[in-house]
Amino acid sequence: MNALSTVFRKLLLPEHMIEDSRKLGNDYPAGEMYRSFVKIAWPALMESVLIGLVSFVDSIMVSSVGEIAVAAVGLTNQPRLLFYAIFLSLSIAVNAMVARRFGEKDPKRANQCLAMVLPLAILLCALFTGIAFAISEPLLYFAGAKEDTIGMAIPYFRITMLGMNFTVISLIINAAQRGCGNTRISMTTNLSANLVNVVFNALLINGLLGFPRLGVIGAAIATMLGNISAAVISILSLCKKGRFLQLSLRDMFRWDPVQLKTICSIGSGSLVEQLFMRFGFFSYAKLVAELGTMEFATHQIVMSIITLSFTVGDGLGVASSALVGQNLGRKRPDISIIYGKIGQRFGAAISILLVVIFTFLGGVLVRLFSDDPEVIRVGRHLLYIVALTAPFQVSQVIFRGCLNGAGDTKYTAVVSFISIALVRPVLTYLLCYPVGLGVYGAWISLFFDQITRFGFTMHRFGGTSWYKKKI
């Protein structure tokens, strides 16, 4: 019993999570540190998981139109995320900088950062929307669309790209709010948006309560309405006096050269990472799409299910990122390390539950999307691979959140290049085609991709260079 107690103490007590050589004090109260983590983590985790569940339900609603509709919607994901890359990179830069300014108790510079990035993002988004409309058909054919899916894919893609103009506003503002620990605001924003999305999905996909039956187009309109509501709520969160983040119109377009240089430094690393990720995911999806519509539909169903494990890591990664950045601003890298490891402890515990769900309830989950026996059989087998993947996926997302919170985006860019842009697509091609494993090969390659990212990010977090970054 004493031996077991000792093991738990070494695993769970903050003073045992860091080497003596890195300690900058003796103030590591376990109760206070766990409470601080949970205070920020639970809204972020709840937000991320519920958004994943809404996406899950959204996919189920679309599947009521048929497997071809699932494939058509799935084909638009990577082309759309390709346009999102620059905005995701800007949001990571804003999150890291606001977290550091929050730790330094410097609201003026935090608000200057947000005021510079937000109008820039809005202008770029308007430009990208026009480009997306102009090239939507050839882009979707290149992504793997066939004659049976292109008719649904084009309008869905164009409508959701219009919605991106509103998504970008909430994305940047919520990144700033998370940086100063206001994860409840972000949770409220995104849950409200997804509630709007689900309600209008129900009304517009199948034409309930007298609304027109619009199928896939209805799903796209519902998504855009959710995007609009998120943007409105995010803007309102900046209008309340007395908060750390308050944005006034006169601050817009006032450039601070020093902060702009820092934004570009962090954002460029993150942008390179996002581009590598988008290239890798795009290539991956295209290779699977070439297997055929039914194979891709099965793949997309399992992708919707694995989102549940990603959301767990993402929610804990958001909390870890904020606390890492804030404590680096307070000149306490030792506490940043501990919060990263506390996030890992929570992630490991939840991963055990995910492994059980994917292993024993796989068939039940796939049946929510399709009643085709072959889709159910293959999907259930793929979820065994997902069960093996989940612990590595959750952990690497948390480690990546810690590194991004410290501004170490160039390293995560290199990891994405190796793992997502090289390992995943190359292995997918070899296993799907020359080896002949079909869609199974794609998921085996995803497993190795997650292990690779886990190994690299864990190694980096174990060193010292990430927390010595100057912002």
Side-chain angles (χ1 to χ4, degrees), residues 302 305-306 309 358 381-391 443:
V302 180
I305 295 171
I306 198 178
S309 64
F358 294 144
H381 292 165
L382 293 178
L383 282 170
Y384 294 143
I385 303 175
V386 171
L388 292 174
T389 305
W443 285 86

Side-chain angles (χ1 to χ4, degrees), residues 7 50 107 357 410:
V7 169
L50 289 179
I357 291 172
K410 289 183 172 60

Side-chain angles (χ1 to χ4, degrees), residues 79-80 83 125-140 154 157-158 160-162 164:
R80 188 170 67 252
F83 286 99
C125 193
L127 173 64
F128 287 177
T129 301
I131 294 172
F133 266 69
I135 66 171
S136 55
E137 185 171 353
L139 180 62
L140 290 170
I154 289 176
F157 178 68
R158 287 177 171 173
T160 52
M161 284 301 299
L162 277 176
M164 184 178 76

Side-chain angles (χ1 to χ4, degrees), residues 44-74:
L45 183 61
M46 185 70 67
E47 172 195 356
S48 189
V49 170
L50 289 179
I51 287 173
L53 286 172
V54 168
S55 176
F56 185 75
V57 172
D58 192 43
S59 299
I60 293 173
M61 290 178 169
V62 170
S63 71
S64 67
V65 184
E67 279 81 7
I68 291 177
V70 174
V73 170

Side-chain angles (χ1 to χ4, degrees), residues 27 29 31 62 65 69 102 117 121 130 156 175 204 208-209 224 263 285 287 421 436:
D27 51 333
V62 170
V65 184
F102 184 83
V117 173
Y156 185 89
L204 296 175
L208 299 180
L209 302 178
M224 185 170 70
I263 291 168
L287 286 166

